[in-house]
Amino acid sequence: SRLDLRTGTTLNSFGKGVLKNPQGVAVSAATGDVFVADSDTRLIHVFDTRGASLRAIGQGLLQSAWGVCADGRGSVYIADYTAKAIVVIDATSGARQAVVALEGKPRGVAVTRRGEIVASTQSPNGLVVVD
C-alpha cells in the first residue's frame, strides 16, 4: 500500500491474488520497480509503482525467499532462509548470477555502495558481511 504520510491515508494497495506470504520488499533506485520476496511461492514478484505485476523471477532457484535488495545496477539479492544462502539474480531475466553460502539462515539482505553484501542471520543470530 502507498501511504500519505501527512494524513495516514492509504493511496494504493496491490499484490492481492499474486502474493501468498510476502516477506521482504525493495525498490530499484534505477528503475523504480518494486521487488517482493514471497516465501510461499519461492519467487521474487516484480511490480511497477502503480501495482501492475511485471514479472516473477527466481523460478527454480529459491527454496524460501525472505529478504530482498536491488542494487540499482541490475542485480537482485535474495535472502534464501531454507538454503542458508544469498542468491543473486539478474533483475530482468531472472538468471542466477551467484550464490553465497552462509552459516546461518538469512532473513534480510542489503548491499553497500562498494558491493559488499550484508545479511542478517538466524541460527546463529547476527550480521554477516561478504566482500
Side-chain angles (χ1 to χ4, degrees):
S1 295
R2 280 186 45 200
L3 184 67
D4 183 325
L5 296 177
R6 290 174 292 136
T7 65
T9 305
T10 300
L11 302 175
N12 188 13
S13 178
F14 55 86
K16 292 178 183 155
V18 175
L19 300 172
K20 303 297 182 210
N21 194 11
Q23 296 293 335
V25 63
V27 178
S28 169
T31 65
D33 289 347
V34 179
F35 297 90
V36 182
D38 191 316
S39 63
D40 281 8
T41 64
R42 301 176 185 170
L43 294 169
I44 302 300
H45 296 278
V46 187
F47 299 90
D48 68 18
T49 54
R50 293 180 310 279
S53 179
L54 301 175
R55 62 192 170 279
I57 56 178
Q59 292 91 338
L61 303 177
L62 306 170
Q63 293 181 35
S64 182
W66 276 69
V68 63
C69 174
D71 69 4
R73 295 183 301 261
S75 295
V76 177
Y77 299 74
I78 302 111
D80 192 326
Y81 183 82
T82 303
K84 294 184 176 180
I86 301 299
V87 180
V88 185
I89 62 177
D90 181 271
T92 303
S93 71
R96 181 173 43 216
Q97 297 174 324
V99 177
V100 179
L102 301 174
E103 183 180 328
K105 298 176 178 181
R107 289 186 171 251
V109 62
V111 178
T112 69
R113 285 186 211 165
R114 294 188 306 254
E116 299 162 319
I117 300 170
V118 182
S120 61
T121 62
Q122 179 182 28
S123 301
N125 295 333
L127 294 175
V128 176
V129 179
V130 180
D131 234 346

